[in-house]
Each structure stands twice: as C-alpha cells, then as structure tokens.
Amino acid sequence: MAKENKNYLSGKEIRAIAKANAKEMKRLEAYKNRKAEEHEFLSQMKSSENILEIEDLHTFFYTEQGVVKAVNGVSYDVPKNAVVGVVGESGCGKSVTSMSVMRLIQGPTGQIVDGSIRFKAYDYKRDEKGNPIPNGADGYEMEEKVYDIAKMPIHEIHRIRGKQIAMIFQEPMTSLNPVFTIGEQLDEVTFIHTPGATKEMAKAKSEEMLRLVGIIPENVYGAFPHELSGGMRQRVMIAMALAAEPRLIIADEPTTALDVTIQAQILDLLQDIKNKIDGSILLITHDLGVIAEMADYVVVMYAGKVIEKGTVYEIFQDPKHPYTIGLQKSKPTMSLDDGTELYNIPGNVPNPINMPDHCYFKERCAKCTLKCSGDYPGMVQVSPTHFVACHLYDGVEDNG
Amino acid sequence: MVKYIAKRLAYALLILLGVSMIIYFLIRLMPVDFIQDKINAINQGGATVSEETVNAMYEMYGLGDNSFLGILKGYFNWLSALARFDLGTSFVYGLPVADVIFEHMGISFAIALIATIFEFMIAIPLGITAATHQYSLRDYVVTILVMIGISLPSFFFGQMLKDVLALKLGWFPASGLIDATASYTGIELLLDYARHMFIPILTIVILSIGARMRMTRTNMLEVMNSDYIRTARAKGLKESAVINKHAFRNTLIPLVTSLAGLLPSLFSGAIITEQVFDLPGIGNIALDAMNRGDIPFIMGYNMFLALLSVLGVLLADLMYGLVDPRVKLE
Amino acid sequence: MEELKNQQAAPEAADSEAPLDKNVRLMSPTRMVVRRFFRSKLSILGLVMVISLFLFSFLGPVIYTQWGEIQLDESGKTEYSIAETTYTVNGVEYTLRQTTEKYLKDNFLAPPSAEHILGTDNEGYDIFVRLMYGGRISLTVSFIAVFLITILGVVLGGVAGYFGGAVDNVIMRLSDVLMCLPGVPILLIISTILDASDIDAKYRIYLLMVYLTFISWTGTARLVRGQILSLREQEYMVAAEAMGYSTFRKIFKHLVPNVMPQLIVQMSLSLGSMILYEATLSYLNLGVKAPYAAWGTMINIISTNQDILQNHLNVWVPAGICIVIAVLGFNFVGDGLRDALDPKARR
C-alpha cells in the first residue's frame, strides 16, 4: 500500500537513512563523551562587549525520516547586560538554539554538528586538583575564561550550567521535581555552586531569592511544587535561575504556558529583575509584544536560520526582511479594527528534512525577484547593528 | 486519613464477600458422592477422617440440600463460620484448617522474605543502569535477562537447578528443610536450614527478578524523560547526582508501593517451588491437600489467599499516599 | 493510528504539527511500525522462534510419521541385572556373579538413536514426536484462551467504558473481585470439579482454560475501558461529536484504531503467559493427562522419578526447552510490537 504513494519513502531509502544516521550519531556521541584537556575548549571572544557569541551553529536531529536541520547556521551575539529577544514561529529553531547553548539537546538523535558557542565565564580560579583557591578573605579567587560550549565534552558542562548560564523553561507545571520541597530544590543550587556552602547559607540565599521574585519565603519554602499555582512555580523557577547569580539567563518562552494576567506579572518580574541583576537575558518567545517590551536587541529566526537581527528600534521601526514585515503586520492591534482583515503570511514553512537551496521564504514572499531562485542569501549589513538575509538588500551595504 | 482508611477497609470487606461467593459457588459444583469417594480414599491411605469431621463439613457448607434456599442457608452458615475465623477441620490433618495454615506459613514466609530482599537489591540497580544507558550493550543484556526470567517455567528451572547443583554437583541438599540424619543445634541448625533453602531461594530470585527489573527500567525511563530532570541538569548537577537523587527518588514511588502490595503475598507460599524441593511450606501442603481431596483445607487456603491479596491492594494504596507527596488520602 | 501520524516529524524539532510539504517524502505509518519492529533483533529472533515452533508442531507430525503420539515402541528391550554375592570359604574369597536377563515388551527409556531421535520415555513413547503433539496442544490451547480473554475483555471493558454509570460500576467491581482470586489455587478447585465430572482426558485442558478466561479478562477489560474513557476526553473525539458523527462511526473510526495497538501487544504478551499457565497445570497433572502429550506433562514424571531427573535428561529437558522457546518467542514479539506501536518510544 505504501508503494503507490509517492509521498512515502521506500524501504530501501529508509534503510539508507538509518545507516547514515547511525554512523553520524555514533561519531557525534563519541565526540560529546570524549575526554579533553581544558585548553581544547577554551577560546577567544570576537568582541569584548559580548558575553555570548553563537557562530554558525548547526544542530541536527537524526530522525528515521531523514536529518532535520533544526538549527542550520545560526549566528548571533548577546552583549553584556542586555536583553536579546529571539523571535520566530514554532519550530523555527529558536528553542533548539538555546538548548544547544545549555547542551540540553537529547542525544543520540539530537546533536550539535558544527559551529561554536563562545561564552565568557566568570568562574572560581582552580588549582590542579580542580579545587577553588581561597583569596584570603571569605571568598575565592575568580577569573574570566572564554569557553567554547559546543566543543566542551558533556561531562565538563556542569561548569557552565546553573552557575554561568541559568535557564527558565516553558512548562512551570512539570519543571519542578514533585518529590522535593521548593526549599530543597532551591538550596541545591547554592550547594552545587558555592564551595563550602552550609545549610544555613543555602537557606538564607534561597529565601532572599524568593523575596526577590515576590514570594514570601515562609509560605513556600517548605511546600511541595504541586501545592503552588503555575505562576508561583514559574516565580520559583526564576528564583532558582537567579540563585547562583549567573551571567546569562535564558528564558525559553517563560510565559507561554501561563494565563494572560499571570503572564503580565511574570513579565513585570523579569523586567524588574533585568534592572537588578548584573547579567544578560536571552529571551525566547513567539510573542512580538513581549519582545518590544523587554528586549534591547532582536533576532528573527525562520526555518533554522537567522533572517534579520538588529536593535529593537531597527526591527520594529524599520524591518527589512519581508518575513519580519509580515510578522509585524499579522499582529492584531486595536487601531486596526476598521474592517480590514488581519494580515497573514501565505503558505507554510518548508519541511525541515528537505530544505531547498534557495531562500526558504521564497514560496511565501510577495517581493520575490529572479535572484531569489539562486543561492541562499547572505547576511547584509544595513546599519552598524542591523543585519538582514535577503536578496532585496544585496549591494545596499552600509558600513558606516 | 482515618476516614479514608475506614472507607477502604469497608470496600476490602465487600471484595472479600464477592470472593467468598465465588469460592462457595465452586464448592457447590462438586458432587457429594465425589467428596465421599475422596474421604474414603483418605481413610484407606491410613488417616482416619472421623465421621464427626465429615458431618461438621456437611453442616458448615450446607451440602446435600440443593434447593435455592438450602444453598443460601449454606452460604450464610459458612460465612458466619468464616467471620469467626473458623475454616473447618482438615480431613488429612484432623486439625482446624487455620491451625494447619499458621503452622506451615512460617517456612513459606522465610523463603519469600529472603527472596524478595535479594530480588529488590539486585533488580533495582540493574534496572536503573539499563534505563540510564538505554540501547547500550548493558541495556540489551539486562533486557534479555529480564525476558528469560519472565519466560522460564518455574518447575522446569527449579528441577534443572536441583539436578545440577544438588544431584550432579552435590553442593546442596536436593530437597527438604533439614537433614534428618543429623541433630544440629544453634548455629549449625541455622546453617543447615540455609543450605536447604539456597536453591529454592535462588530459583525464586532468578524467576522474579526479571519483572522487577523491567518495572524499574520502564519507570526510570519515564522519569528520565520528564521536565524536572531537564531542570536538574540545567541547574548544573552532575549526571550522577541527577540520576541518583532526582530520578531515583521518583522511581522509588512505584517500587515502594509495589513492595507494600507484596507484603501479604509473602505468606501465601510458592506452590511450584515448594513442590519441586519438597519443602513443607504452605503451598506444597495445599497442593497435597488438593491431590488428596482435602476440601476444607483448599477452601480455607483460597479464602486465606484472597484475604492476603485484598490486604495487599489496601497496603499499596496507603503506601502510595505516604511516599508520593502529590497524593492526598481522602 | 492518529498517534503514529504525529510521530512523523521529529518531536523535538517540530513542536507544531507542521503540514507536510508536497515535495517531501515521509515514512508511511505502516512502514514505520514494521520498520520499528524489525529494527530490534530480539523481535526478529522472537518471530523466528514462534514460527519454527508452529511449523514443528503442526507440520512436524505430517512429515515425520514414524511414530504416533500414543504409539508404543513394542520392539522390546532386554534388561540385564547383575547380582554379586561373595562367599568366604576357608579364607578364600569367592564371588558368585549372577546375571538375570529380563525381556520386556516395551522399549522404554531408550537413548537417542536413528530410530528415536530423542529416545523414548518411561512408557516407551517417542519423545521427539510427543514434543510435536505437545506443541499442538499448548499452542492451540493458548490461542483459544487468549482469543476468549480478548473477546470477553473487549466486550466487558467496552460496555463499561462506553455506558459508564451503574453498568461500569458493576463490571469494575466484578473485576476487582476476580483480581483478588488466587490463580493456580482456584484452578486446583476447578480441576477437582473436573475430576468429579468424568471429562475425557483429552478435553480437560480446554475446559480448564475456558474457566481460566472467566477470571483472566480483567486486564484486557481495564485496558479497553481506560482507553475509551481517555479517548472520550480527547479533542478529536469532541470534534467528532460536534460534527454529529454516528456512534458506529465514532467507535470504528476513532476508538478501535486507538485501542488496537495496545490490544495486539497485550495479546501477544498474554500468549506467552498462557503457555506458561498451561505447562504449569500439566506439570501439576491437572491439565493434559497421560497418555496424551503436553510439554508440561512430559516434565511431570521427574517430580516422582529421581532416576529420570538425573540420568535421562533426554526425557524432560527437550520439553522444557520447547516451553522456554515458546514463551520467550511470544514475549520478544510482544515487546517488539510494543516498542513499534508505542508512539512515545523513540530511539
């Protein structure tokens, strides 16, 4: 029955895919689990202003249907003390990129294939045995190091996670361990990342963090996650992310699973925290409104690639890419209530398994030119901070 | 909490009532002259079943009166005897059934308890490694072991072990519980018991370990794929801590629950294993009773087992409420 | 197969159900299941085991007709017994060796030979042939039992789940009661009843298994009921309701395809356990009784005859191996099917 249907793969093709996948996955798994000296994954930042530089990142999923190129050559930077918003529709690879930064991609199907993720870490200086060196006072000596997270062996990743980069997830309902109390889960962060932490220290820190996110610690510290509402749990998640004072917080659709009034509260909280902490936020969302409110810089992604990036003013006041323009037009506003229909971008995202060679947006684009059937457009710099990947702007490069 | 337990107890009683109806119905299916034949056979075998015992049984089950009212009356007669823990008198032993059961329960319990301890101690770590190294060689080996454990018939495997370890190699005694030719005391007696129980326990452990391992593995896999494990990793915990603390505690919930459910069944005896190694446990006694037509004993034994499994369900429920903070017993 | 369709895109990569591009070719759901099943070497092994046992049991006696199931080898056998007596006469030892030659009509306990591939048992029946006939019984009985259990379970579970309320209550309480009935001990009683009613030894096991189905349907019923209850809450069922589909269409278009995969898995797994049940009953001499052959019955002899247990492995070990192959085979297949049909399983 499958034979007659041209939309289905043949048995032979499936076996070929499986064989090729198995080989690649084995190679990448071995690379992930390899033993490596520290210098092998140390690197240099391109610009000292940045805290995170993602360059030409490729993250693939080796499925039975073929290789899904979820992230296919993504580059963007997160400057110090800035909020970078990543926007794009579901499945465009924005979450996979952030998961790659945390190295949380589920193997063996999901693998970082190529590219680098440079992160400027501020960590304890360690002696040969890996123990932190005390600085004479009640602290320890610190140093700045640039790690290439993509090249780190997986067993070294605990240097980054939690302490340097913390993450807030989309599903607050299931992201807390149901059998431990909130207090236990919060204290744990301090125990992991502060050498010589005592129970009292951890508790004090946890309570401080809870207060910071607007929770009265006495009510929640001893409670189990199921006793809290979704919004409360997301606050706890934020408190947990803040506890180790990371340089970068990745918030992966932090408000999507919450209802509207709670969403606003959590956004206010993030806004508030942004001003209080000494670090950057990478905010991933499909909600343009959230981006406009929170972000300093915006990255627009489409089908595994960055198609436009710039400051929040550039992207909102002067969008260049037809997709970005379409995205903004399709946002409902009150003033538009004049009988005109809400704009929607025609067509669909191409299938991630079998991407065309030309611009991925070509089929849906109203401003298509002959050039669009050619190579995939390169990044064009239209202002010092504004980049776009579209043939319409070829040759209008502005480097001043 | 108290209200919940009371409610569950009442429900357990209701279930027991249902079970008793089925068991009573089964005995009424037995023709009376067949029972008489069996009694005669026992009498010829040397034991004497007194007229009194037989009459008492007829009285207890209300046999002989096949009218609807007679059956009804017989059932309630039996039920009221049950309520007084009177299970009748065993034909073969000439003792109250309850006494016979209690006398032989100890051996079965000892064997089952030791076997269960080993089972959990071996199965849980293996199940966890299989899950955390999914699709690795380790996982395959464990999976195959699981399958073999589930698929081996106990009588065949028990006899094999007996043939090899006891008869061919002579490392352990082949059957029985103690060496009748020697009179040991103290530590020596204990060692003698241990030597006799070794193969039966080994048999039970190997056969039961598979299912437990599979249960652990499935649970662990489910837990490892959950969001809170991702959170634990994102916190910066090392993988070993993620597994041994965050995942393990969650895997433990169904395991502890199943352990509570198992508790009463420790008393029920392993019929086949006890038969193979000729151990005087409750299961072997019941098999023998059934072969010789000791009807009061079989009936009593079945009710006893039903009581144990009802208790098991009840205990598992209560345990679940204790281990899992999400569950409130109401 | 709704769930299977959702599987087509990588779960992590496409969190939305991205509509299929016309140019992209995917795997058909059927092929996906087949492929998943055959990817596991264990399920292939299981399939080979099950199929070869079937061929052996059902085609075997047709091809190998040298001996029948209850055909005694009456070629006879001579048994020698040597008795030695030692006398001491005037300090000199004399040994008197007396050889008794006994001719017996049946050639029992013969070692494996060209005549009897696996030898003969203690009665003089050919073991190899009895293995085939035993397989017929075991496999047939298990299939019948599983078939009956499934029908009973689907009907009762379906009725309970579909109608709910009092009907559901009655059926579920009944299943609670049946789940508390002890398995083998209850069969001991039933077996005694069968003893009392003079049933032909040949059909006994069938009746016993029929009784077994009466107490074993609860698992299937719970599965079906649970599926129906959860499906009733699913969006697409609500949609079907809203679109005014007929009950018949709802059941056959949506419910059946959703329950089917789990039912198939359950069936193949319970085939294994039924074979084990049958073998245990026969071993306890409650199921198939001599002179008819069943794998369990063929092992039964060693519980009373230590000599055969120790010295005539060819009498009982082959039957045990057959049971293990059958149960293992069905379990491997069932496990493979579960992995193949379970949309959550990924590799």
Side-chain angles (χ1 to χ4, degrees), chain B residues 11 14-20 22-23 25-27 29-31 34 38 134-135 140 143-144 147-156 159-160 162-163 167-168 174-175 214 217 225 271-272 275-276 283 286-287 290-291 293 295 298-299 301-303 305-307 309-310 313, chain C residues 39-42 172-174 176-182 184-193 195-197 211 269 276 279-281 283-284 286 295-296 299 302-303 306 309-311 313 316-321 323-324 327-329 331-332 335 338-339 344-347:
Chain B
Y11 186 62
L14 210 69
I15 298 287
L16 269 183
L17 205 66
V19 174
S20 72
I22 291 174
I23 291 179
F25 171 74
L26 284 177
I27 198 163
L29 283 177
M30 261 182 237
F34 172 76
K38 284 283 181 188
Q134 205 186 358
Y135 307 126
Y140 276 111
T143 310
I144 291 172
M147 284 309 213
I148 292 176
I150 296 172
S151 307
L152 276 174
S154 50
F155 55 92
F156 177 63
Q159 296 281 18
M160 292 255 288
K162 179 169 151 183
D163 185 31
L167 301 176
K168 295 243 157 69
S175 62
R214 169 137 83 176
R217 179 176 176 272
N225 279 327
I271 295 184
I272 306 290
Q275 188 267 350
V276 168
L287 189 66
M290 128 76 220
N291 281 329
I295 287 147
I298 304 169
M299 301 298 289
Y301 179 63
N302 271 293
M303 271 320 283
L305 291 188
L307 177 71
S309 48
V310 168
V313 175
Chain C
R39 184 175 44 195
S40 155
K41 290 182 185 69
L42 289 185
M172 282 304 110
R173 293 302 79 79
L174 183 61
D176 278 348
V177 168
L178 290 179
M179 275 172 140
C180 282
L181 279 182
V184 174
I186 277 290
L187 287 173
L188 295 184
I189 301 188
I190 294 172
S191 171
T192 314
I193 296 169
D195 276 344
S197 43
Y211 275 108
L269 288 177
L276 218 48
T280 309
L281 290 175
Y283 168 77
L284 291 176
L286 301 175
W295 292 333
I299 302 181
I302 56 172
S303 61
Q306 190 104 248
L309 170 65
Q310 240 181 311
N311 302 323
L313 295 181
W316 61 281
V317 172
I321 291 174
I323 300 172
V324 175
V327 182
L328 208 54
N331 279 342
F332 279 157
D335 230 41
R338 175 166 38 204
D339 279 352
K344 273 180 283 175
R346 49 178 140 121
R347 205 167 258 235

Side-chain angles (χ1 to χ4, degrees), chain B residues 310-328:
Chain B
V310 168
L311 274 181
V313 175
L314 188 67
L315 268 181
D317 263 16
L318 294 179
M319 204 57 184
Y320 194 45
L322 286 180
V323 217
D324 191 341
R326 281 165 295 184
V327 177
K328 282 255 166 2

Side-chain angles (χ1 to χ4, degrees), chain A residues 40-58:
Chain A
E40 289 176 46
F41 51 85
L42 282 180
S43 186
Q44 286 301 317
M45 298 303 266
K46 280 226 169 113
S47 156
S48 60
E49 289 301 299
N50 292 336
I51 176 162
L52 177 75
E53 291 175 353
I54 299 173
E55 194 178 322
D56 198 29
L57 181 70
H58 290 76

Side-chain angles (χ1 to χ4, degrees), chain C residues 223-287:
Chain C
L223 176 90
V224 173
R225 174 180 175 269
Q227 271 294 318
I228 290 182
L229 287 186
S230 79
L231 284 173
R232 275 165 60 161
E233 306 297 316
Q234 297 280 316
E235 273 97 353
Y236 63 83
M237 278 310 276
V238 178
E241 190 93 34
M243 287 168 88
Y245 283 0
S246 69
T247 307
F248 183 82
R249 192 184 159 128
K250 271 189 294 191
I251 289 180
F252 283 91
K253 206 82 188 144
H254 294 290
L255 291 181
V256 172
N258 270 290
V259 185
M260 242 5 224
Q262 294 184 47
L263 217 52
I264 291 171
V265 172
Q266 173 119 349
M267 279 169 82
S268 60
L269 288 177
S270 49
L271 268 173
S273 58
M274 280 302 143
I275 287 180
L276 218 48
Y277 237 119
E278 186 275 333
T280 309
L281 290 175
S282 295
Y283 168 77
L284 291 176
N285 210 10
L286 301 175

Side-chain angles (χ1 to χ4, degrees), chain B residues 24-39:
Chain B
Y24 184 76
F25 171 74
L26 284 177
I27 198 163
R28 288 309 298 245
L29 283 177
M30 261 182 237
V32 175
D33 32 333
F34 172 76
I35 299 173
Q36 198 53 57
D37 285 353
K38 284 283 181 188
I39 294 169

Side-chain angles (χ1 to χ4, degrees), chain A residues 95-293:
Chain A
S95 277
V96 177
T97 311
S98 67
M99 291 290 201
S100 302
V101 173
M102 288 295 270
R103 292 291 297 271
L104 283 171
I105 301 288
Q106 277 271 0
T109 39
Q111 298 287 352
I112 296 177
V113 179
D114 197 11
S116 48
I117 303 166
R118 290 183 296 271
F119 179 76
K120 197 189 282 175
Y122 187 62
D123 203 355
Y124 299 110
K125 206 168 174 172
R126 288 169 197 272
D127 58 22
E128 278 113 62
K129 283 181 191 155
N131 297 320
I133 305 161
N135 65 357
D138 54 351
Y140 294 87
E141 282 185 43
M142 306 294 278
E143 63 179 343
E144 240 177 23
K145 267 184 198 167
V146 178
Y147 291 118
D148 187 341
I149 295 174
K151 294 193 174 56
M152 262 181 154
I154 194 75
H155 52 87
E156 297 282 359
I157 196 68
H158 59 87
R159 298 185 189 206
I160 298 293
R161 286 179 185 166
K163 175 74 195 161
Q164 305 294 338
I165 309 177
M167 193 152 181
I168 301 162
F169 296 100
Q170 187 176 350
E171 305 87 5
M173 300 308 280
T174 51
S175 289
L176 289 164
N177 196 328
V179 299
F180 294 112
T181 60
I182 302 296
E184 284 169 314
Q185 299 189 51
L186 275 169
D187 292 353
E188 203 177 19
V189 181
T190 314
F191 285 129
I192 304 168
H193 298 296
T194 316
T198 60
K199 187 105 192 66
E200 290 71 36
M201 259 171 79
K203 189 174 180 190
K205 183 80 191 172
S206 303
E207 289 182 339
E208 182 196 333
M209 289 303 131
L210 284 174
R211 262 181 232 111
L212 191 66
V213 297
I215 293 178
I216 300 164
E218 288 72 34
N219 299 347
V220 164
Y221 188 82
F224 283 100
H226 70 271
E227 294 165 325
L228 306 183
S229 67
M232 276 296 182
R233 286 190 219 184
Q234 195 61 300
R235 280 171 195 263
V236 171
M237 285 299 290
I238 295 171
M240 205 144 87
L242 295 174
E245 292 165 10
R247 295 194 127 186
L248 174 66
I249 294 175
I250 301 176
D252 186 358
E253 311 235 8
T255 56
T256 310
L258 303 170
D259 61 50
V260 184
T261 47
I262 310 294
Q263 273 186 22
Q265 288 176 16
I266 295 291
L267 282 177
D268 283 347
L269 176 66
L270 280 174
Q271 190 81 269
D272 186 38
I273 279 165
K274 173 187 145 187
N275 302 327
K276 280 186 192 160
I277 63 162
D278 175 30
S280 309
I281 296 178
L282 180 59
L283 180 67
I284 290 147
T285 179
H286 59 254
D287 188 337
L288 282 175
V290 173
I291 293 280
E293 203 172 320

